[in-house]
Amino acid sequence: MAHARSLVMAQEPVRCELCTMSTGVVKVYCNTCNVKLCKSCMPSHVSQGHRSHDMVEYAYHGSNTMCDIHSGKNCDMRCQQCQIPVCKRCIISGLHKNHDFTDISDESGGLDSFASSDCDIPQSFNFLRDPVVVLELDSNSGDLDRIGICHPDKIWTSFMYECTMSCLDFSGEIKDSLSVPSGEYPTDLFVTHEQELYFCDWKDRTINKQNLNSTNRDIDVVLKLEEWTPRAICVSKSGDLLVCMTVHYNDQCRIIQYSGKSIVQEIQFDENGDAIFHHKGGDIFLAENGNGDKCVSLPAHRSVQVVSNVGDFRYSYHGDTDSSTSNKFSPHGITTDRLHQVLIADSENNRIHCIDVDGHFMKFIYCGLVDPRAVQVNTINNNLYVGEFRTGKIKIIKYIQ
């Protein structure tokens, strides 16, 4: 077995797991919530009233941590890719192939690190045994319907029966707003990494866009539909626009993928000519997975339907059949993470379902949720953002390590 080679190098500063700001260098570690924080985020995190927080200087946290895998072994190193404390047996056992490691006691400055080169298991992330709310903010309005993450520390929100969308910072203060031209509420919104806000105007049957980085406040009409009504949208990794739409008089439902104004793909029926998406009225939620799967949450049908990147039906999910809850599966918001897992807000059961890439149930996330409706994963720090419909609160949850 090849030995670990020594690399002497200056490490990139460890970044805050809450705000992801370019200047948000970590100063402290919250042992209670298992999260790294910069100086700016400390006050808002500590203000969470439902728990006390054990805060320590980041450079020294974990120096006495015992390994979860190798009993009795002290974790004196940290894997920079997985961001977890590891013992020497973890490093030589093959669990962190080609990963970089730092000495926990030296993490405050320029560091000596080394990389393992002889392991077989690829980089992975583990579920936290007890996911935690690292920040909670209040939109001060009920009927919170949709959210969109606007990096680094802002969240766009829309509310049922309100035509104004609002951008909140982590204190809950409104930093920006935008009104739907028709005066009706948007059926969906989506914020891209390029800071473009897309939203559906169901009354005008349009998909609209505003560049959030521009001083020009004009709203561009991206698409104008005729018979069909836009219900849910997302922008694919390729930059194409995915629109889930319905026809009100016969409950047809389909996904159209657009490149500009050109139709790239239309998904409505399976190989037998049967409808894939069983729309029975009401909301629809849409997400694209990292493997190209298109995931549709249909609350009225109490199901999630998933098709492949070429439009073939893959699977349906109707909730965990082993659950002891008396309430039926009530899927609403849907999102995916970097592991290609699908996370679904179950509003009536106050929890999030996590299923794997093939639709198999993996885990529930609770965290004291009340009527969760909208969900998004921050692709930079992997935190889960959950919007509660009834309370109007947004909870940022750390659920993987």
Side-chain angles (χ1 to χ4, degrees), residues 18 30 54 130 132 135 241 263 270 352 379:
L18 188 56
C30 179
D54 176 20
D130 298 306
V132 292
L135 185 68
L241 179 65
I263 295 178
D270 64 18
I352 307 298
T379 56

Side-chain angles (χ1 to χ4, degrees), residues 186 249 384:
Y249 52 81
L384 172 65

Side-chain angles (χ1 to χ4, degrees), residues 380-392:
I380 293 179
N381 59 24
N382 305 308
N383 286 338
L384 172 65
Y385 291 48
V386 181
E388 297 179 340
F389 183 76
R390 193 187 318 159
T391 69

Side-chain angles (χ1 to χ4, degrees), residues 25 64 91 132 219 256 313 335 353 384:
V25 178
N64 294 317
I91 297 170
V132 292
I219 297 174
I256 300 292
F313 174 76
T335 189
H353 295 237
L384 172 65

Side-chain angles (χ1 to χ4, degrees), residues 130-179:
D130 298 306
V132 292
V133 176
V134 296
L135 185 68
E136 179 180 306
L137 59 101
D138 197 338
S139 68
N140 295 310
S141 180
D143 299 339
L144 175 59
D145 190 43
R146 311 279 168 146
I147 60 174
I149 299 173
C150 184
H151 300 302
D153 58 352
K154 296 181 179 63
I155 307 167
W156 276 91
T157 60
S158 68
F159 304 86
M160 191 70 74
Y161 312 121
E162 291 187 19
C163 68
T164 300
M165 297 169 283
S166 301
C167 181
L168 309 178
D169 65 13
F170 279 174
S171 69
E173 181 181 350
I174 296 177
K175 310 302 291 187
D176 199 357
S177 63
L178 183 66
S179 294

Side-chain angles (χ1 to χ4, degrees), residues 333-347:
I334 189 167
T335 189
T336 65
D337 64 19
R338 65 189 303 168
L339 303 179
H340 300 173
Q341 296 166 155
V342 181
L343 296 99
I344 309 150
D346 185 347
S347 63

Side-chain angles (χ1 to χ4, degrees), residues 364-383:
F364 288 130
I365 299 173
Y366 292 96
C367 291
L369 298 173
V370 178
D371 196 8
R373 173 69 63 104
V375 290
Q376 290 288 319
V377 168
N378 187 322
T379 56
I380 293 179
N381 59 24
N382 305 308
N383 286 338

